[in-house]
Amino acid sequence: MKHRITLPRRDVLKLGALGALGTLIAAGTLDKAGAQSPSVENVMSNLKEIKFGNYNPNYAAQWPFRLAQALGYFKEVGIEDFEIIQSEEYIPGLIGGSLDLTHGDTSNFIGAAVASGVPLTIIEIYRDQEWWMMGVGKGINTIEDLKGKKVSGGQLGARNTWVLKQIIKKLGLDPEKDVEFVPTSGGSDGRLGAIIAGNIHATILFPRHRKGLEENGGQFLSIELTPSPQEAICATGDWLAKNEDAAYAFVREDIRARQWLMKPENQEKAYQIMIDLGYDIPPAFRALYQEEIDQISPDGGFDSVQVMQAFMDQVALTGDVPAGVDWRKYMDMKYVWAAQEALGLPKRPPSM
């Protein structure tokens, strides 16, 4: 990666004003989300090259962007060179100018913008739903079997820990008294390993873990698809002020690729494109087509202001954003709304 800024992504939230990083971008004027959106049927990008940050190497975290590239959608609007740069340092890269756009956690973008004063602007939502899935180990058949057992959502202050507590509470136990929360490392795959090893007895897992969990005597006690605009596409206000046509063009073609991906008749070709690009997709993952696309926003939007507010309230509990943050300041849906109109899709969210 050129001009690499060595700063772990979550550390950005802890740096206050971000010191020198805050001077890298002049204060940009953010367009209000409620502004009139122009038609983008014939928009062409003013940039031929876009450097796009992504922290997750999993194919499902890059699917629409790669499809838009492979299907020629980006080239149709003048984006001839679309480069995905893999890095956990996606926010510093955006601030430093080595990235034009980036995919990451909605809460991290807003938290970093609040902490630094740097004008970061979310222009599109990536995942608008998430699976709340509690996997349990061998011998755990009911929620009562978890009493007195060790459970984990990863880091003790992380949102997955909060989610796990909500599931346990919904199933009838007191998460503060009836189970023991312990920290684990290695992400969701590490938590699956801890379940299999017997070090913990319940955790938050995802659809791709079903095979490994069940082959080792475990099961899911709770599966629920929950509205959650948890991942987004972000740019800086300064970049947007100079490259609005590129932003409109990118969002429209990205949503166009999502619409293509959502059609069942394109399933096999969608997988093959990613495999041809070098992504490892085992047969067990290929069987999870519907589960994966159910999490991806089909139109770049989210259901409503109420859903976004509920999500912000949740992440505020973990400290990822300040309580009561005005998230609208860091989000501009005009690009999504214009693309939705151009593609004949309903306006979502209907307002901000």
Side-chain angles (χ1 to χ4, degrees), residues 45-75:
S45 174
N46 61 294
L47 297 178
K48 292 185 177 181
E49 178 182 352
I50 286 183
K51 294 188 180 296
F52 187 87
N54 200 305
Y55 71 95
N56 190 335
N58 186 279
Y59 76 95
Q62 302 184 16
W63 218 346
F65 324 133
R66 285 302 194 194
L67 289 176
Q69 182 182 32
L71 294 170
Y73 292 175
F74 284 155
K75 281 193 175 181

Side-chain angles (χ1 to χ4, degrees), residues 14 24 29 110 114 126 140 159 161 165 178 188 204 211 220 254 256 273 283 288 293 300 307 313 344:
K14 304 173 183 177
L24 291 173
T29 300
I110 293 176
V114 172
Y126 185 73
I140 305 296
R159 184 166 178 270
T161 296
K165 288 182 178 181
D178 293 333
S188 58
I204 294 295
K211 187 172 186 289
F220 285 108
D254 177 41
R256 184 180 167 198
I273 286 173
L288 298 173
I293 65 171
V307 164
D313 291 343

